[in-house]
Amino acid sequence: MELVVEGRAFVKGKLSNWGIGIEDGKIAALGKSLRGDEKLDCRHMLILPAAIDPHVHFRDPGLTAKEDFATGTLAAACGGVGCVLDMPNTLPPAVGLRDLMEKKEAIARKAWVDYGLFAGCVPGGKLEPMAPHVIGFKMFMGSSTGKLLVTEEKDMLRIGRAVSGTGKVLSVHTEDEALIGTEAERDLRDHLRNRPSAAEVSAIRKLPSLGCRTNVCHVSSLDGLRAAEELKLDKEVTAHHMFLDRDSEHGAFAKVNPPLRTEQDRLALLQAFIAGRIEMLGSDHAPHTLEDKEQEFSAAPSGMPGVETQVPLMLALVKKGMLPLDVLVRAMAERPAELFGLNKGRIEVGRDADLMIVDTRTMGGIKVNNLHSKCGWTLYEGFDAIFPHATMVRGSVVVEDGSVVGERAGRDVVA
Ligand code: DOR
Ligand code: ZN
């Protein structure tokens, strides 16, 4: 065995002492006393599958003053994420084969962790040629950052049919554009008034008619959650919809789509997540610059960073006894791997050796200066968090204690 990592590992649904044997980037053996050329002693640590973030916006190409694939994936690695799935609202948007392949070329060799790309769906777009190159498709039913928007039922149905033929997943921004208001906005409450939960419910209710596998991105309201549960749809939830609400004092920095809602919505989502009723944790990492966000409320773009902080925030909840570890592992790793067909997400023989090594004694407040996104701000300053001691991607340690130790060997999971 090239490498054996020893410690309390999350294997087959529970923690116990294991040696994890790694060869050629894959988990080759699990045993109590494995021999290896090299040993990594993590006996006082937890070893978890690295997280898979099914929803990030890394802004590369075209908007790299906000983020690029190097800074975005480094932030991911420092937050325990070993694989990210990147959204298509880059510049130019990844909505056609040529732009998609150019995006792949632009980001190649920049990534610290593995990644997959979504292709965007637009009316009249050709989806089939992109299918072999993407992890899934993304459709915006409500407008947000970028110009990807599908509002006509006939376009949605055509997209659903096309995606169904590819066998891929359609991740959907579920806000119904027809129910989004356009009143002037001065603050988070105005933003919420314009984007009510009824818009979320209406969009979610349309998904079954699309006839393809769908994933509700960032479910944000109690009513939206109920609708998605009734229809048995997969869903993501963000940390910001579980930790922050419309009474946040961060003004435009907390402007996001779907919006931060009421405390009641927030607590319902947090409770549902803790109960294991929300399939995936997805950051919707949407970095905008300080200058973008310092504009007056109505002019500031929507979105906030989160890829580096979401797992550390959740690990703190685990440590406090509020969140079962198996629920977190399921939502941050196992289910995203299952839904998107990745050979990752579990500590199991044959899977990629993507691991997160956690010292649960290291809980501390989040400090923006320790984060790695290019945007340089966070809404979680001072929040309790446990950052992983190290993140390993296919058997190589990429970051240790917030510093780079490995190489930029992140690969496109679809190639
Ligand atoms: O707030 C958001 N920001 N929502 C989105 O759907 C897109 C994202 C972005 O890319 O900035
Ligand atoms: Zn998004």
Side-chain angles (χ1 to χ4, degrees), residues 8-61:
R8 273 176 75 67
F10 190 86
V11 176
K12 292 185 202 136
K14 61 177 199 297
L15 282 174
S16 50
N17 291 325
W18 286 98
I20 303 169
I22 298 172
E23 257 179 21
D24 294 331
K26 291 211 180 328
I27 299 169
L30 287 168
K32 301 289 172 189
S33 51
L34 298 178
R35 286 160 188 265
D37 302 341
E38 209 188 313
K39 275 213 171 161
L40 197 59
D41 179 359
C42 305
R43 266 174 295 183
H44 302 291
M45 313 256 187
L46 299 186
I47 308 172
L48 307 177
I52 298 167
D53 190 336
H55 191 147
V56 302
H57 297 267
F58 281 171
R59 313 297 191 204
D60 202 345

Side-chain angles (χ1 to χ4, degrees), residues 55 57 87 138 140 173 218 257 284:
H55 191 147
H57 297 267
M87 289 296 165
K138 172 72 183 281
F140 285 88
H173 183 113
H218 39 54
N257 298 326
D284 196 12

Side-chain angles (χ1 to χ4, degrees), residues 66-272:
K66 294 176 192 263
E67 193 79 280
D68 61 38
F69 237 74
T71 53
T73 53
L74 182 59
C78 293
V81 175
C83 181
V84 292
L85 307 184
D86 186 58
M87 289 296 165
N89 56 337
T90 37
L91 262 187
V95 296
L97 186 60
R98 227 188 56 207
D99 290 336
L100 174 69
M101 297 320 266
E102 280 175 16
K103 174 169 180 172
K104 287 206 173 197
E105 195 44 44
I107 64 177
R109 296 168 293 281
K110 285 188 181 174
W112 291 96
V113 303
D114 285 352
Y115 58 93
L117 300 185
F118 283 94
C121 301
V122 287
K126 286 203 179 71
L127 304 185
E128 292 82 355
M130 296 191 282
H133 308 286
V134 297
I135 195 69
F137 291 92
K138 172 72 183 281
M139 178 165 75
F140 285 88
M141 291 167 91
S143 51
S144 196
T145 309
K147 295 206 171 63
L148 310 185
L149 184 60
V150 183
T151 56
E152 298 296 319
E153 205 114 340
K154 66 170 188 352
D155 292 322
M156 291 179 196
L157 295 177
R158 186 195 61 81
I159 287 165
R161 262 198 310 278
V163 172
S164 162
T166 70
K168 303 264 167 173
V169 174
L170 182 64
S171 281
V172 186
H173 183 113
T174 45
E175 287 186 282
D176 186 339
E177 185 69 7
L179 299 181
I180 296 178
T182 54
E183 298 289 304
E185 295 182 3
R186 277 147 298 139
D187 55 26
L188 294 172
R189 285 182 171 245
D190 291 345
H191 190 56
L192 173 57
R193 222 168 282 129
N194 273 340
R195 306 185 77 114
S197 52
E200 184 166 77
V201 171
S202 168
I204 288 172
R205 291 210 180 285
K206 291 183 180 163
L207 296 187
S209 68
L210 301 184
C212 62
R213 286 198 293 159
T214 56
N215 164 37
V216 175
C217 293
H218 39 54
V219 63
S220 64
S221 66
L222 173 56
D223 292 344
L225 174 66
R226 285 201 181 122
E229 284 193 316
E230 204 178 293
L231 299 168
K232 299 196 168 37
L233 300 170
D234 268 287
K235 45 212 163 297
E236 296 165 15
V237 67
T238 67
H240 51 267
H241 290 112
M242 293 190 283
F243 279 107
L244 306 170
D245 55 47
R246 66 176 179 187
D247 295 322
S248 157
E249 281 154 15
H250 294 290
F253 282 85
K255 183 180 176 187
V256 65
N257 298 326
L260 299 182
R261 300 189 190 272
T262 65
E263 186 182 27
Q264 191 198 3
D265 286 302
R266 175 175 83 73
L267 292 175
L269 293 169
L270 182 59
Q271 277 162 12

